[in-house]
Amino acid sequence: AQTVTQSQPEMSVQEAETVTLSCTYDTSESNYYLFWYKQPPSRQMILVIRQEAYKQQNATENRFSVNFQKAAKSFSLKISDSQLGDTAMYFCAFMKRRKTSYDKVIFGPGTSLSVIP
Amino acid sequence: DGGITQSPKYLFRKEGQNVTLSCEQNLNHDAMYWYRQDPGQGLRLIYYSQIVNDFQKGDIAEGYSVSREKKESFPLTVTSAQKNPTAFYLCASSHGRGVENEQFFGPGTRLTVL
């Protein structure tokens, strides 16, 4: 069974600084997707970034980028130029990649990030 | 605008009562999901449905029931058999197949048992 671990329950960062959130996962699959979701105080879950395991290039979305280390089964999220609106719970998630059938998403326990003015 | 709606936002229930949480989507997604979120924890899958009139149990289905009579709707009933129902409930949907299965989430329902 797949598992997702986030070893940092809480983190804080000064506004405009850079912060990295850690995520590790365990799987025997070779084809899969990894996601970072953000849940702000409003509790609306929002997809931040997605990485396809067969792509070596790390995904980026504006100030958000990932460091995907497939051999190490590591998938960290880097937030550059942190803003107050980045304050949220961040969830790392894993999903097996299949062409024709569904598979569920496995979520980590989350990291609570606070951006300090 | 396309999206997922959940109602109500807050729900209070007396012990021993069944209660139904609504989830509607107009994204034309095939798959829909229900998650439970407890304080300080991640999301746990309750039920999911890949197609109309079909659904499967997730990791914590005991004490819950669902139906999928329409593609757009996936209501969740929290029954009196659920021993600790106070939690935040999230509904999600996705295309359900293909190479991208990103899940889109609704705003959630906070259920409190009095």
Side-chain angles (χ1 to χ4, degrees):
Chain A
Q2 289 77 29
T3 59
V4 177
T5 302
Q6 295 177 250
S7 60
Q8 306 149 315
E10 297 181 2
M11 295 188 71
S12 62
V13 61
Q14 290 291 134
E15 195 174 6
E17 297 295 310
T18 295
V19 64
T20 299
L21 280 59
S22 300
C23 172
T24 58
Y25 57 95
D26 185 23
T27 185
S28 58
E29 299 286 332
S30 58
N31 291 321
Y32 50 87
Y33 291 98
L34 294 164
F35 307 89
W36 277 99
Y37 280 91
K38 168 185 177 181
Q39 188 179 41
S42 67
R43 307 203 75 171
Q44 175 70 58
M45 290 280 283
I46 303 164
L47 179 68
V48 175
I49 199 164
R50 173 178 52 230
Q51 175 77 41
E52 299 167 46
Y54 65 92
K55 291 186 176 180
Q56 293 185 343
Q57 186 173 7
N58 289 326
T60 62
E61 286 288 342
N62 301 315
R63 298 183 295 108
F64 298 89
S65 61
V66 298
N67 183 5
F68 174 48
Q69 301 290 329
K70 192 172 183 179
K73 296 180 183 176
S74 171
F75 183 59
S76 60
L77 174 69
K78 185 172 80 172
I79 305 174
S80 303
D81 186 25
S82 296
Q83 301 175 359
L84 296 178
D86 295 334
T87 292
M89 196 77 168
Y90 287 82
F91 293 97
C92 180
F94 169 98
M95 185 188 73
K96 287 188 283 188
R97 178 175 183 256
R98 294 186 179 179
K99 291 184 179 179
T100 59
S101 64
Y102 156 83
D103 211 334
K104 66 182 181 181
V105 178
I106 309 297
F107 288 87
T111 294
S112 178
L113 177 67
S114 297
V115 179
I116 303 168
Chain B
D1 290 335
I4 303 174
T5 58
Q6 290 185 244
S7 62
K9 187 173 182 179
Y10 299 98
L11 188 57
F12 297 90
R13 189 194 90 177
K14 293 182 179 180
E15 282 193 26
Q17 289 182 337
N18 293 353
V19 63
T20 297
L21 282 60
S22 170
C23 178
E24 304 275 337
Q25 56 97 0
N26 61 3
L27 300 168
N28 199 31
H29 284 168
D30 292 318
M32 297 187 73
Y33 317 79
W34 275 105
Y35 292 95
R36 171 179 172 142
Q37 186 177 24
D38 293 287
Q41 297 189 29
L43 280 65
R44 293 186 290 170
L45 183 65
I46 304 172
Y47 268 98
Y48 64 96
S49 168
Q50 301 179 63
I51 196 169
V52 174
N53 293 322
D54 186 52
F55 48 83
Q56 287 79 39
K57 293 181 179 180
D59 300 318
I60 55 166
E62 184 176 354
Y64 300 96
S65 66
V66 294
S67 62
R68 188 87 186 276
E69 298 178 359
K70 299 186 300 181
K71 187 176 184 178
E72 303 78 17
S73 178
F74 191 42
L76 173 74
T77 297
V78 184
T79 74
S80 57
Q82 169 51 234
K83 296 179 181 179
N84 184 21
T86 294
F88 187 67
Y89 291 87
L90 282 163
C91 178
S93 70
S94 71
H95 289 294
R97 61 183 183 276
V99 296
E100 294 183 345
N101 197 23
E102 172 189 341
Q103 294 193 3
F104 294 81
F105 286 84
T109 293
R110 173 71 183 175
L111 173 63
T112 302
V113 174
L114 304 173

